[in-house]
Structure formats: C-alpha cells, structure tokens
Amino acid sequence: MTAETRSNAQRNEHVHNPDDIQSLLHIMSRLRDPVGGCPWDLEQNFATIAPYTIEEAYEVADAIDRGDLADLKDELGDLLLQVVFHAQMASEQGAFSFGDVVAAICDKMVRRHPHVFGDASVEDADAQTVAWEEQKRREREASGTEDRSALAGIARGLPEWQRATKLQKRAARVGFDWPDVTPVFAKLHEEIDEVRAEFAALDANPDDAAARDRLEDEIGDVLFVCANLARHANVDVGAAMRRANLKFERRFRAMEALAQADGTSLADLPLQAQDRLWNRAKADEKA
C-alpha cells in the first residue's frame, strides 16, 4: 500500500455515525497517534489542555447566556472534545479510559439520587441539595480523606468568585452566617474604608511593598464581601459579572460610535468629553 493509499484509507475511516461516540474517540486516538498524528495534539498534556477545558466551559455558558442554541450545540461539542482529550491521554498512561469516565459518572448519579433510583424521598430542591452535600461528605470519608472540615472538598481550581461563594455556603450550613443582609452592608463599608486607608498609605510611600501587599489583601476582602452580598440576594456572582461586562461593552461601543458620528475618535477626546458620551450612551439605552 502506498503512502497516498494509506492516507486515503485513514481519511475514509472518519466517515462516522453522528450518534456514535466511538467516532469521536477514534478521531482523538488518531490525533494522538505517534505515527501520523497531529504534532500539536501530541505535544499536549493534562496541564496544557486544562486552560482550554475551562475556556470551553465558559463558551458554553456564553452561548446559553445569549440564547444561541445553534452555537450551544457547537460549544457543547467542543467541551465534549476536552473530556475525550483528557481520557485519551489517561488511557495512554494506563490510568483510565473514556469508558471508565462514563461508568464513574453513571455510578455517581445513581448513588447521589436515591430518591430517583432508590426508595429515599426528598421534599424539594433545597432538601435535595442538603442530601447531595451529605452524600459527598460520606464519600470523602469512605475514600479515607482526613480533612473533616465543613469546607473540605471545595476545589482550589475553581474561579475564585465561585470558590468564595462555596466557602460561604459551607460555613453557613454550620451556622456561621449573618442572619440577613444588613450586617453584610456594614461589613462592606468597613472593608471599603480599610481599602481607602491602604491607598493613602501607598500614596504616602509608593515603594512600600508591605502597604501594597495590605492593599491587595483589603481589596480581596471587599470582593469576598461582595460575593457574600450576592449570595444573600440569591444572585449568581458570575451571571451578575457577565451582565456588568456586557453592559460596559455595549455602552463603550456606543461611545465609540457616537464619537465617530461626531467626526472624531474616542481616544482623541479628553476624559470629560468621554464622560459626556458615556452619559449619552446610557440615556440612549434607557430610552
């Protein structure tokens, strides 16, 4: 068989059934084949692929936020490819296969839903959340995990705003929480005052590394309290930030368009003039 014939035969192998996961597994295996695979795919490892996995998850969330189901289909495919990629690399090391991943999640879903697959019952979604966390705690203990803290098992790889919310929710389950939002506002004002004090200290001595470190620490406290504020309001921090980002982007682009319509560039205008365009963009949006 000539090289060209072999190449054509390999390409023909990719005629696949769209309902068959084996087709995707085969494609991934070919991409990682040391003989004739893709050089880029062959260079990757778990650490280098992890950022892409996170990025694809966010792109799924973005498609959902935009209500674009056609794009959601594509983004879910991209996310699935990430799972297959990791499973392929693990299989190459003899650690586990894609089938093991499927079996593990099926077992977990059945185990954590005894009210569906067993004789247990739950009153509502809140009760199910409590039962889910209790089952996770039992699983950690059964695995021999020594950490018995109420905060055990919260992944350090989460986006920090999400990790902050999870830490606060876990603490609240053992009673460490404010009874309502009023003291949260008071705490926010307190933390903002501390940020102001550290800004003043840094202004007085810009080379003070300790003051800069304290400023970062205090800004972190403000953000942590903001996450707590969102939690008390039952607002998802990520969703709120997405809305804020989209709003800023929408209004900033409107400012650029207004400046262009006036025959100038936004970058050529002083801040005061830019502020006027910002207010015009806000007013047009509300109108």
Side-chain angles (χ1 to χ4, degrees):
M1 179 183 291
T2 67
E4 181 179 359
T5 303
R6 182 167 57 252
S7 179
N8 289 335
Q10 290 171 342
R11 279 196 293 270
N12 289 335
E13 289 178 356
H14 299 317
V15 177
H16 58 274
N17 179 352
D19 296 326
D20 184 6
I21 187 64
Q22 292 301 322
S23 297
L24 180 56
L25 296 176
H26 175 72
I27 290 170
M28 190 70 251
S29 178
R30 286 282 295 111
L31 291 171
R32 291 277 297 181
D33 189 342
V35 180
C38 172
W40 185 89
D41 289 277
L42 286 166
E43 288 182 356
Q44 305 311 308
N45 56 50
F46 295 115
T48 62
I49 289 298
Y52 294 100
T53 308
I54 295 169
E55 180 181 344
E56 295 299 351
Y58 275 111
E59 290 183 0
V60 166
D62 178 62
I64 293 170
D65 190 59
R66 291 183 285 106
D68 190 336
L69 293 183
D71 195 30
L72 177 59
K73 176 195 68 176
D74 288 342
E75 297 300 346
L76 285 171
D78 291 343
L79 185 58
L80 176 59
L81 179 64
Q82 295 298 307
V83 177
V84 170
F85 205 141
H86 285 288
Q88 173 64 31
M89 291 187 291
S91 179
E92 292 165 3
Q93 297 179 18
F96 58 82
S97 68
F98 181 80
D100 295 325
V101 173
V102 174
I105 190 59
C106 287
D107 178 68
K108 182 185 294 184
M109 289 299 99
V110 171
R111 188 172 66 248
R112 293 186 181 176
H113 291 83
H115 56 292
V116 176
F117 302 103
D119 299 327
S121 62
V122 291
E123 295 180 1
D124 51 30
D126 289 339
Q128 165 55 16
T129 299
V130 173
W132 176 281
E133 291 296 334
E134 176 59 22
Q135 176 62 26
K136 287 174 63 177
R137 184 191 63 78
R138 289 195 295 267
E139 290 172 8
R140 286 194 299 271
E141 290 182 354
S143 69
T145 301
E146 296 181 359
D147 190 351
R148 296 292 186 266
S149 169
L151 306 179
I154 300 178
R156 294 185 181 275
L158 289 170
E160 294 301 337
W161 61 262
Q162 189 174 2
R163 192 162 188 271
T165 302
K166 283 183 174 289
L167 289 168
Q168 293 163 5
K169 285 182 177 179
R170 289 284 190 87
R173 289 198 184 104
V174 296
F176 190 67
D177 193 16
W178 283 301
D180 56 53
V181 75
T182 301
V184 184
F185 278 117
K187 186 64 176 176
L188 181 58
H189 287 297
E190 175 188 328
E191 297 295 351
I192 290 174
D193 286 341
E194 291 178 1
V195 168
R196 286 197 182 99
E198 295 306 336
F199 261 115
L202 197 59
D203 284 342
N205 186 359
D207 296 325
D208 187 347
R212 183 166 297 280
D213 187 67
R214 290 195 305 270
L215 178 59
E216 178 180 315
D217 190 64
E218 297 300 342
I219 289 176
D221 288 346
V222 169
L223 296 174
F224 191 83
V225 176
C226 284
N228 210 345
L229 185 65
R231 182 178 63 86
H232 275 268
N234 291 319
V235 168
D236 180 81
V237 180
M241 282 303 304
R242 279 195 297 275
R243 291 184 66 172
N245 288 339
L246 287 170
K247 184 193 300 181
F248 178 84
E249 182 179 8
R250 187 173 62 246
R251 291 177 179 176
F252 188 86
R253 289 180 181 274
M255 289 169 61
E256 292 177 317
L258 288 170
Q260 186 176 18
D262 290 341
T264 186
S265 167
L266 187 63
D268 294 332
L269 296 174
L271 180 58
Q272 189 174 24
Q274 290 181 342
D275 280 339
R276 287 196 294 268
L277 288 180
W278 175 266
N279 290 330
R280 282 175 60 188
K282 283 178 61 177
D284 291 345
E285 190 174 275
K286 292 178 178 178

